[in-house]
Amino acid sequence: MDPKPWRERIRDEEELLARLNQLASDAADRRAEALLDGVRELGTIADVARDLGRSWTAIDKAIKKYQRKKASDATTTE
């Protein structure tokens, strides 16, 4: 069996990377939604960070990135 030509291998790997990037983006969105649920339950980002043993800034950045993306998606669809 002959190996795939290099151009085909590159195309296959680029498609795989695109799918993986989309999966990672979707997971980050779901994580941010869960973090927001935690804020609603516990009261503050700091409380969520303490509960998870993470830094306040990491939680805050994840939530803000998600909110900016969501706002951007809303303005591009209008």
Side-chain angles (χ1 to χ4, degrees):
M1 182 172 150
D2 291 327
K4 285 183 179 181
W6 65 271
R7 284 181 179 91
E8 189 176 334
R9 293 191 334 253
I10 289 172
R11 187 173 33 256
D12 291 347
E13 295 307 321
E14 287 174 345
E15 289 172 5
L16 177 59
L17 285 171
R19 288 194 311 267
L20 291 171
N21 284 333
Q22 185 60 53
L23 289 171
S25 177
D26 294 345
D29 289 350
R30 290 189 303 272
R31 177 178 177 264
E33 289 170 358
L35 290 170
L36 286 168
D37 288 344
V39 170
R40 281 189 283 278
E41 180 182 315
L42 299 178
T44 68
I45 290 172
D47 291 333
V48 171
R50 271 191 292 277
D51 188 78
L52 296 174
R54 306 270 167 74
S55 74
W56 178 90
T57 55
I59 304 300
D60 187 55
K61 282 183 181 181
I63 290 172
K64 285 184 178 172
K65 183 177 180 180
Y66 172 71
Q67 289 171 331
R68 281 191 306 271
K69 180 182 174 188
K70 201 170 165 186
S72 174
D73 289 348
T75 58
T76 58
T77 58
E78 292 177 357

